[in-house]
């Protein structure tokens, strides 16, 4: 869930803790900024569909009449997500220094975990 993901990206895994360094760096990368913009656009696109949860008639839900509402939301975001991961993988500041022995210390692993949620 979102709370667990937020805690796992906090310093010392503390609830409401400060973000770890890799997350602060990730938030400033062009790829992640683009991904955030795309998700915002997707949320605006699906906002008219929220009413389906209170639509209690046998008639077709009006917002579903527009077929474009249901297409193309995830493909562009998926590409932006892949670009953000590649950007992090190329960034020397976000690479693991030495053998840490666990995934919690691997910046690329941390980024992939956040983007997979």
């Amino acid at each position: 869930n979102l709370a667990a993901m937020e805690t796992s990206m906090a310093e010392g895994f503390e609830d409401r803790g400060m973000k770890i360094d890799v997350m602060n760096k990730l938030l400033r990368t062009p790829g992640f900024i683009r991904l955030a913009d795309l998700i915002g656009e997707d949320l605006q696109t699906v906002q008219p569909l929220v009413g389906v949860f209170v639509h209690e008639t046998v008639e077709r839900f009006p917002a579903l009449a527009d077929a474009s509402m249901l297409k193309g939301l995830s493909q562009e975001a998926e590409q932006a997500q892949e670009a953000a991961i590649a950007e992090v993988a190329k960034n020397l500041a976000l690479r693991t220094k030495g053998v840490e022995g666990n995934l919690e210390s691997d910046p690329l692993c941390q980024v992939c975990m956040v983007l997979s949620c």
Side-chain angles (χ1 to χ4, degrees), residues 90-106:
K90 291 177 189 173
N91 187 333
L92 295 177
L94 295 175
R95 289 198 186 160
T96 303
K97 295 174 179 80
V99 179
E100 299 291 329
N102 62 47
L103 295 176
E104 295 169 349
S105 303
D106 184 337

Side-chain angles (χ1 to χ4, degrees), residues 20-92:
I20 57 176
D21 189 43
V22 69
M23 289 297 108
N24 287 322
K25 290 176 183 174
L26 177 65
L27 291 171
R28 292 188 298 270
T29 63
F32 194 81
I33 292 168
R34 176 67 183 137
L35 182 59
D37 290 343
L38 286 171
I39 291 171
E41 290 169 15
D42 283 355
L43 288 173
Q44 292 298 319
T45 301
V46 298
Q47 187 174 11
L49 300 175
V50 172
V52 76
F53 297 107
V54 293
H55 183 72
E56 297 181 1
T57 68
V58 295
E59 287 86 31
R60 180 174 172 83
F61 183 62
L64 294 177
D66 182 5
S68 68
M69 288 288 244
L70 308 174
K71 297 180 180 175
L73 292 179
S74 63
Q75 185 176 5
E76 194 174 358
E78 186 176 320
Q79 291 169 347
Q81 183 175 333
E82 290 171 2
I85 291 171
E87 206 171 296
V88 170
K90 291 177 189 173
N91 187 333
L92 295 177

